[in-house]
Amino acid sequence: MRTRILKRINKEFKLWFRAAPPGMIVLVLVIVIRMFGGMQSMEWFFLDTMLRLRPVERLDERVVIVGFDAKDIQFIGQYPIPDGKIAELLTKLQTYNPRAIGLDLFRDVPVKPGSDELARVLQENTNIIGIEKILPPGQIYPHKSLLSEQIGFVDLRFDGDSKFRRYFLHTSVNENPPENKFSLALQLITQYFDAEGIELGAGIKDPNALMIGSKELPQIANHNFGGYVNLKVDGLYTLINFRNSKKPFRVVSMRDVINNNVNPKWFRNSIILIGNRNPSAGDIFYSSAVPTLQLTGQIYGIDYHAHAISEILSYVIDGRPMLSSWGDIQEYIWIVFWGLVPIVLGRITQSVWKNLLSVSVAGIVLIGCGYITLWVWGIWIPVAPNFLILTLNAVGLSAFAFYQHDKFLRSQILERQSTIAYTFDVIHNGPLQTLAYGLRHMRAKDVPYEKLISQFEKLNHEIRELSEYLKLEALGEKEVLRLGSGFILDLNRPLHNLLYEVYSSTLERKDFECFHTLKVKIRNFDPIDDRYLSREQKQGICLFFEEALCNVGKHAKGVKRIQASGEYSGKKYHLWVKDNGSGIKSNHENKGTKTCKTLAKQLKGNFRRESLSPKGTICELSWTVDS
């Protein structure tokens, strides 16, 4: 029992030693690729897809967009829209008592007529926020009538795939706090919460973060954030948690506002954004995270600002999560865990199709975890690298399973062939010799009947004993070899000792008549380092030696002298049996000779059996001894 357990443990260890390294190599390679930014595109893809596949959200009534479309331009009859019409629109909207109005139009250069009127409206209404562009190249200044508290920058940074996912909330020109710059969204949110007496402040957990009331806004604070690697962090950025709806905000046209075709309740206590929603204006960003009705894979700039505003309002007021991520350590622990999953599954299933099915289920669970954590808690966890590891290891381990299955079938065939050959050798050198002896004397009628009965009773005993021995051998409970004489060899002993035992037990057999004429018996076996011989090879050598001795006892008529030797010659070990009997009388290659040749091939050695002059036979097996 203990031997079988140790064999099982050894087999398991060897299997893991062969199967685990490919999976671990894949895991390490994916981690290295991710650390150098090679996985960003895949991780962005999974992020966009999971954001887009979330349940549809209701319209956010706190944000209203007044967009200029092609029909508005036709209605006005001039483009760019003149300052006078902008002033008229702002004046009209102020009558609806909004908390803040964001004018997402550059007005560094007057567009007449009505420039003076626009300047007056901007000066009289401090809840109107204009825009500027502060990052090079091509900085654009705000309208000269705006105070610093009425200016928000609209600079945005796109990712490596030219898509927009981050929002630039706050930066500073230098170390002088009065020179700090706020984005359009942050200025409008400040105006919104000022009406409720809630001010912006520094974060508690992270002093560089912003806090609104009791809510600290998550930010992209590190160069490695989620799927981002070596990200440039030159201010306060947030990852936009886009509102998942084809109509996330109420959108009205300029002409509807001027013509009083709107409901005043829509604008009361809301944030109003005014800007272009005309494709020809060029204010369009690329994004795959937002389902849109008009633009596939694109979003209007004014809508992008609306999503950023809605994200923060919903986080502070409704508890809707803003997007964050784990730290590097937690992310790589998560990746390593999923890297080990396919290796363990491959060992448990031990089947190609079961392995593919289990890894597919694991992939679904992985994507489900990523989806739920993003949707419920707003945490962006690694999915792409884990999915890649699962896919590669599923293919690799399946190929390994195919290989193992094929190898198993081959080993089964070889094991059956070996069992048949071994069983033949055991029977050939034992019961068959007893049977041949009995039949020969039965035909010759030269022995008493009682002796024949005794011989066949011996045969019956040998067959039963052999049956029990083969059962134990099949179970692998003993590393032993049964000789034709019935003697049991312990194959764990040194080979030269085994050869002495084979020699002694075989020459003591009474059923070989040629042994009765022997006068001289010589044997000598040099010790041999048998560490490099397998159990099967040691067994085969012992059976060869027994076969060679038995052939002398059966066929060497008139033999007087027998010599058995095992000796070194250079790096080769020569094991031979020599007699001075009648010699070989037939060139027919019997089963025993074929078995010996097969053994020599396995040992990468040589076998010969030939007559000597003037008489006698030599049977020799030689092989190279590894050092």
Side-chain angles (χ1 to χ4, degrees):
M1 179 64 71
R2 182 180 178 184
T3 303
R4 277 193 288 175
I5 294 173
L6 291 175
K7 284 185 176 181
R8 181 65 183 271
I9 293 173
N10 184 51
K11 182 180 178 182
E12 191 75 16
F13 176 78
K14 288 181 179 179
L15 183 59
W16 276 95
F17 186 76
R18 291 196 304 268
M24 297 303 296
I25 290 172
V26 170
L27 172 61
V28 172
L29 284 177
V30 170
I31 289 177
V32 171
I33 291 172
R34 185 178 190 265
M35 292 177 68
F36 284 91
M39 298 293 300
Q40 287 188 118
S41 297
M42 281 188 66
E43 299 205 64
W44 292 334
F45 169 79
F46 273 95
L47 173 65
D48 293 342
T49 303
M50 289 188 290
L51 287 174
R52 195 173 60 250
L53 294 178
R54 290 173 302 165
V56 176
E57 299 180 80
R58 63 181 180 83
L59 180 142
D60 190 347
E61 297 182 349
R62 293 169 298 221
V63 181
V64 182
I65 297 175
V66 179
F68 303 149
D69 56 20
K71 291 183 179 179
D72 283 332
I73 296 173
Q74 293 176 358
F75 173 73
I76 300 299
Q78 181 181 345
Y79 189 81
I81 295 175
D83 290 345
K85 286 297 181 181
I86 299 296
E88 181 183 353
L89 175 64
L90 291 171
T91 302
K92 190 73 174 179
L93 291 173
Q94 286 288 9
T95 63
Y96 300 141
N97 296 318
R99 291 194 182 183
I101 299 175
L103 185 60
D104 188 20
L105 295 170
F106 289 111
R107 276 298 186 263
D108 54 324
V109 178
V111 181
K112 297 182 179 181
S115 299
D116 293 338
E117 184 180 356
L118 176 61
R120 179 185 58 79
V121 172
L122 295 177
Q123 290 173 352
E124 292 178 354
N125 298 279
T126 56
N127 67 337
I128 298 176
I129 308 298
I131 63 172
E132 65 176 339
K133 186 178 183 301
I134 61 173
L135 297 180
Q139 293 92 328
I140 301 176
Y141 295 101
H143 194 284
K144 59 183 180 180
S145 299
L146 293 170
L147 301 174
S148 60
E149 295 80 7
Q150 292 178 266
I151 303 170
F153 64 83
V154 289
D155 299 84
L156 298 172
R157 295 190 185 277
F158 57 83
D159 294 328
D161 57 356
S162 300
K163 294 179 181 178
F164 290 81
R165 300 176 181 87
R166 295 169 288 152
Y167 196 85
F168 200 178
L169 285 176
H170 170 270
T171 189
S172 58
V173 176
N174 50 41
E175 298 299 326
N176 188 6
E179 296 295 327
N180 288 349
K181 297 286 185 176
F182 292 80
S183 66
L184 172 64
L186 193 55
Q187 289 285 32
L188 291 170
I189 290 168
T190 302
Q191 291 274 356
Y192 185 92
F193 285 111
D194 278 348
E196 297 182 3
I198 300 175
E199 295 182 355
L200 270 69
I204 297 176
K205 295 180 180 178
D206 182 2
N208 295 319
L210 289 176
M211 177 172 282
I212 301 177
S214 61
K215 294 293 186 72
E216 188 172 311
L217 305 186
Q219 63 166 328
I220 301 175
N222 299 316
H223 297 288
N224 297 332
F225 177 88
Y228 289 101
V229 178
N230 295 325
L231 185 65
K232 182 179 181 180
V233 181
D234 54 357
L236 195 153
Y237 289 83
T238 185
L239 192 62
I240 295 186
N241 188 2
F242 293 96
R243 202 166 192 85
N244 193 45
S245 173
K246 292 184 177 180
K247 295 183 67 176
F249 314 107
R250 184 171 283 112
V251 180
V252 298
S253 64
M254 177 182 180
R255 61 187 182 280
D256 286 339
V257 175
I258 292 176
N259 294 332
N260 295 317
N261 292 330
V262 295
N263 187 343
K265 293 182 180 179
W266 295 347
F267 304 97
R268 188 172 298 120
N269 292 322
S270 66
I271 293 177
I272 301 174
L273 283 168
I274 301 171
N276 280 300
R277 294 189 93 248
N278 179 16
S280 61
D283 189 17
I284 295 175
F285 299 151
Y286 291 97
S287 175
S288 300
V290 183
T292 56
L293 289 173
Q294 298 176 331
L295 303 173
T296 303
Q298 296 177 321
I299 182 174
Y300 291 113
I302 192 171
D303 290 44
Y304 194 83
H305 294 297
H307 277 284
I309 294 169
S310 176
E311 177 186 25
I312 297 175
L313 291 179
S314 300
Y315 174 68
V316 175
I317 299 172
D318 305 326
R320 180 179 180 266
M322 292 180 69
L323 298 186
S324 60
S325 73
W326 286 340
D328 285 347
I329 295 177
Q330 293 93 326
E331 287 186 345
Y332 284 108
I333 290 175
W334 176 254
I335 293 172
V336 169
F337 169 78
W338 281 99
L340 297 176
V341 165
I343 300 175
V344 175
L345 290 177
R347 178 64 193 100
I348 293 174
T349 56
Q350 296 185 342
S351 165
V352 176
W353 302 114
K354 287 181 180 180
N355 181 52
L356 289 174
L357 177 62
S358 61
V359 172
S360 299
V361 172
I364 294 172
V365 172
L366 167 66
I367 294 174
C369 290
Y371 177 83
I372 291 173
T373 54
L374 188 69
W375 170 36
V376 177
W377 297 287
I379 302 174
W380 180 19
I381 66 174
V383 173
N386 303 338
F387 188 79
L388 180 61
I389 291 171
L390 282 173
T391 302
L392 293 177
N393 277 340
V395 175
L397 290 173
S398 297
F400 178 75
F402 275 116
Y403 166 75
Q404 285 295 103
H405 182 65
D406 179 69
K407 188 176 179 180
F408 173 75
L409 291 179
R410 291 176 183 273
S411 67
Q412 289 289 95
I413 294 172
L414 291 174
E415 185 176 345
R416 289 177 182 178
Q417 291 175 341
S418 176
T419 301
I420 292 170
Y422 171 64
T423 304
F424 169 81
D425 290 335
V426 173
I427 295 174
H428 177 70
N429 292 332
L432 278 182
Q433 302 302 324
T434 303
L435 178 62
Y437 177 85
L439 290 175
R440 184 168 59 253
H441 287 285
M442 182 181 290
R443 292 190 185 97
K445 298 180 180 180
D446 56 354
V447 295
Y449 177 77
E450 290 76 11
K451 188 173 182 179
L452 285 175
I453 293 296
S454 174
Q455 196 70 18
F456 285 114
E457 286 178 349
K458 178 185 176 185
L459 174 63
N460 177 56
H461 176 74
E462 286 180 350
I463 292 175
R464 292 179 182 276
E465 190 179 68
L466 181 61
S467 174
E468 293 301 318
Y469 167 75
L470 290 176
K471 286 180 182 179
L472 293 176
E473 181 68 19
L475 291 173
E477 293 191 354
K478 292 187 176 181
E479 294 190 350
V480 296
L481 172 64
R482 184 186 186 279
L483 300 177
S485 63
F487 188 83
I488 304 297
L489 295 179
D490 182 359
L491 294 176
N492 290 314
R493 297 188 64 197
L495 180 60
H496 69 282
N497 288 340
L498 297 177
L499 295 176
Y500 277 113
E501 292 177 344
V502 173
Y503 178 86
S504 299
S505 65
T506 303
L507 263 62
E508 289 174 359
R509 293 179 64 170
K510 304 301 182 181
D511 50 347
F512 292 128
E513 295 179 347
C514 294
F515 285 160
H516 299 164
T517 62
L518 283 172
K519 302 299 180 180
V520 179
K521 303 175 184 178
I522 304 172
R523 83 283 187 276
N524 180 65
F525 307 105
D526 292 343
I528 179 174
D529 186 358
D530 57 9
R531 290 177 299 169
Y532 303 101
L533 294 174
S534 67
R535 170 181 173 271
E536 290 75 17
Q537 289 172 333
K538 289 177 71 174
Q539 177 179 284
I541 292 170
C542 291
L543 288 173
F544 153 77
F545 188 47
E546 182 189 29
E547 171 75 9
L549 294 172
C550 288
N551 284 336
V552 174
K554 290 186 293 182
H555 306 299
K557 300 295 183 180
V559 64
K560 303 294 183 181
R561 184 174 186 273
I562 186 171
Q563 183 178 2
S565 178
E567 59 187 8
Y568 280 100
S569 177
K571 291 186 177 181
K572 279 196 170 185
Y573 193 85
H574 296 262
L575 177 63
W576 49 266
V577 175
K578 187 189 301 183
D579 67 79
N580 64 347
S582 58
I584 300 173
K585 296 181 179 180
S586 173
N587 292 324
H588 174 69
E589 189 176 276
N590 58 25
K591 179 68 175 177
T593 302
K594 292 178 180 179
T595 302
C596 291
K597 287 184 175 181
T598 301
L599 174 63
K601 186 176 181 180
Q602 292 174 353
L603 293 170
K604 297 180 181 179
N606 299 295
F607 166 77
R608 70 185 179 107
R609 184 170 180 263
E610 55 191 38
S611 295
L612 299 174
S613 179
K615 63 178 183 176
T617 305
I618 184 171
C619 187
E620 180 183 32
L621 177 69
S622 60
W623 68 93
T624 302
V625 178
D626 293 326
S627 57

